[in-house]
Amino acid sequence: MHPRNPYRIPPDFKELALKFPEFRKHAKQKLSGKIEIDFKDAAAVRALSTVLLKRDFNLEVELPPDRLVPTLPLRLNYLLWVEDLLQLAKPPTEQLVHGIDIGTGACCIYPILAARMKGWHFTATETDEVNFKCSVDTLERNCLQTHVTVVKVSAESMLHGNIDTTKQYDFTMCNPPFFDSDSFGPKSRSEKRPSPMCPKSGGSTSATEIAVKGGEVKFIETLIKECHELKQSVRLFTTMVGHKSSLVPIKAFLKEAGACSWNETEFCQGRTTRWGLAWTFCDNIVLANPPLSRLKNNVKGPPPLNYSISREQWSSKGEFSVACVLLKSVELLNSLKMEIRRVKEKKDRKAVEFIAKENTWSNQRRRQREEKRIANHGFEQPELKKAKIDAATLEQQNNHKFRLKGLLLVEETDADFISLQLQWIEGGLGRESMNQILQYMKNHLLEK
């Protein structure tokens, strides 16, 4: 999952059930006390998406029962990847971002999220009458008409005649139908077994939303041809891909069409994996894979660093609880001049996100010894020793672009142990920075 995706840590279903009655009726409690929902139940997934949009983005959305339900982790993964690509494709002096969403769906999900989160502008197209009306209602309900325009179009064209070619657009987005309408659904060994008519999660859909003649390969091939004809109007074209096997033929089409550069990534969220493809016909844009786009939750990227504290070790520190260990840990992070953001609150599992804009942790023990010596003896450090102490951090402190982002997870593993996990997200010196911070915490966490 993308490092900036807020759902890297799943939402607390118990909290949602207590706060939102419309979600509570779909929540079920297991014998262990854990609250869950049935992700094969379209109504439950619809309720989850609507309450998360309301709670986390202040978006009021009504999703029709017979249309595709947008799951937020996947949509955010796609949007955040596009944001990464724009850093390569868009001049930093230009502030306004204007994208095109091809087939915007029932609630204009990409445009409303981007408008609310980033202030982006969108032209969104839609062929389905129900989706079009619902999207217009969504924009009006959330007062986003100044940022997003929805255009009703015919199915014969994706871009031609649907956008104002006198304007310059930054990117396109598209979530195409994944299946071939002539052989829709997974093949079954039994003629009696019904083929599934909707995704495993996300529930109900209309047939045109998930199936098209020729499948996604044919759909994207047609899209590439139209993109080539509009290459003067759009910097960057992107699409989601539902099947990994589709990537090879689609990239062959890109090469044949004369794309100057292209980029692919993987969107991983839970058990669902999708792929993203981006391309450009601008020879001054190089779409190298942004390092953030290649990260997958618990799959790629450095694994978290772990440190366990026993009840016996903590005996002189007072109450042995997740809350107390987290409080002491946050105090240590604050002492390193880090910005702290709380991202998860449960009795036995709490997490915070931390951001450092300078390296304050390298050679901490040596720094403290020198400071103590200066305080005791009242004289300045020799210039040579100063240089030695600061050598590891001076370059980064002078670099205003330095930034480290990580996640601290504190959880109770059993009655007598609490574990700390430090997960690198982006920036700094990667795992090396995390190791240095963890060592600092180990040295000070159990101090009296």
Side-chain angles (χ1 to χ4, degrees), residues 20 73 101 122 172 207 223 262 382 387:
F20 298 102
D101 185 19
F122 261 90
T172 67
L223 174 62
W262 59 82

Side-chain angles (χ1 to χ4, degrees), residues 136-362:
V136 171
D137 290 344
T138 299
L139 297 179
E140 292 175 352
R141 191 179 297 116
N142 294 281
C143 302
L144 291 173
Q145 304 97 313
T146 57
H147 282 73
V148 184
T149 302
V150 186
V151 181
K152 179 72 167 61
V153 299
S154 69
E156 281 68 42
S157 174
M158 299 180 204
L159 289 170
H160 263 305
N162 300 339
I163 63 171
D164 182 356
T165 54
T166 63
K167 293 183 178 179
Q168 181 70 39
Y169 300 90
D170 295 296
F171 64 92
T172 67
M173 299 183 73
C174 183
N175 189 5
F178 296 150
F179 298 104
D180 186 344
S181 56
D182 290 339
S183 55
F184 178 59
K187 292 199 174 12
S188 170
R189 289 173 295 173
S190 168
E191 292 296 327
K192 296 180 181 179
R193 187 188 305 166
S195 296
M197 289 302 291
C198 63
K200 290 181 181 178
S201 66
S204 58
T205 64
S206 66
T208 56
E209 287 182 302
I210 55 175
V212 66
K213 187 174 180 62
E216 65 180 354
V217 172
K218 183 64 178 176
F219 184 96
I220 297 172
E221 179 188 7
T222 304
L223 174 62
I224 292 170
K225 291 176 181 177
E226 291 199 26
C227 292
H228 183 266
E229 295 170 9
L230 294 171
K231 60 184 179 181
Q232 301 300 324
S233 300
V234 185
R235 285 194 178 101
L236 182 67
F237 302 92
T238 76
T239 185
M240 192 184 294
V241 180
H243 305 289
K244 190 174 184 178
S245 59
S246 301
L247 291 173
V248 172
I250 292 172
K251 285 189 285 187
F253 295 141
L254 286 175
K255 188 174 182 180
E256 184 180 332
C260 297
S261 177
W262 59 82
N263 171 288
E264 67 176 276
T265 192
E266 223 172 58
F267 304 128
C268 300
Q269 44 286 311
R271 297 181 181 179
T272 304
T273 301
R274 296 286 182 257
W275 291 264
L277 267 178
W279 64 95
T280 182
F281 295 100
C282 300
D283 54 13
N284 62 336
I285 297 174
V286 179
L287 295 177
N289 278 335
L292 295 184
S293 72
R294 297 197 297 266
L295 286 175
K296 295 195 296 181
N297 194 28
N298 297 326
V299 181
K300 292 183 181 177
L305 299 171
N306 295 280
Y307 174 50
S308 290
I309 301 173
S310 67
R311 183 180 294 275
E312 183 179 355
Q313 289 175 302
W314 195 262
S315 57
S316 63
K317 305 286 293 177
E319 182 187 353
F320 185 63
S321 67
V322 168
C324 290
V325 174
L326 179 68
L327 180 62
K328 178 63 176 176
S329 301
V330 169
E331 288 176 0
L332 292 175
L333 294 175
N334 281 329
S335 72
L336 295 175
K337 301 179 182 178
M338 293 192 182
E339 178 184 337
I340 307 297
R341 299 173 183 172
R342 292 185 180 271
V343 294
K344 190 172 181 68
E345 290 287 344
K346 291 180 72 173
K347 183 179 179 181
D348 60 347
R349 181 182 171 94
K350 297 180 185 293
V352 296
E353 192 176 79
F354 56 89
I355 297 173
K357 296 183 179 178
E358 59 177 315
N359 184 340
T360 56
W361 52 86
S362 292

Side-chain angles (χ1 to χ4, degrees), residues 374-419:
I374 292 168
N376 290 338
H377 299 286
F379 56 82
E380 288 294 326
Q381 304 175 64
E383 288 300 318
L384 184 61
K385 182 154 285 193
K386 275 187 177 182
K388 186 176 180 181
I389 292 171
D390 293 338
T393 61
L394 185 59
E395 181 179 350
Q396 291 172 331
Q397 287 177 349
N398 289 334
N399 182 357
H400 297 299
K401 293 184 179 179
F402 179 84
R403 178 185 173 93
L404 171 75
K405 189 174 182 180
L407 185 76
L408 169 66
L409 175 65
V410 181
E411 63 178 334
E412 183 180 305
T413 51
D414 61 42
D416 294 315
F417 285 92
I418 289 175
S419 79

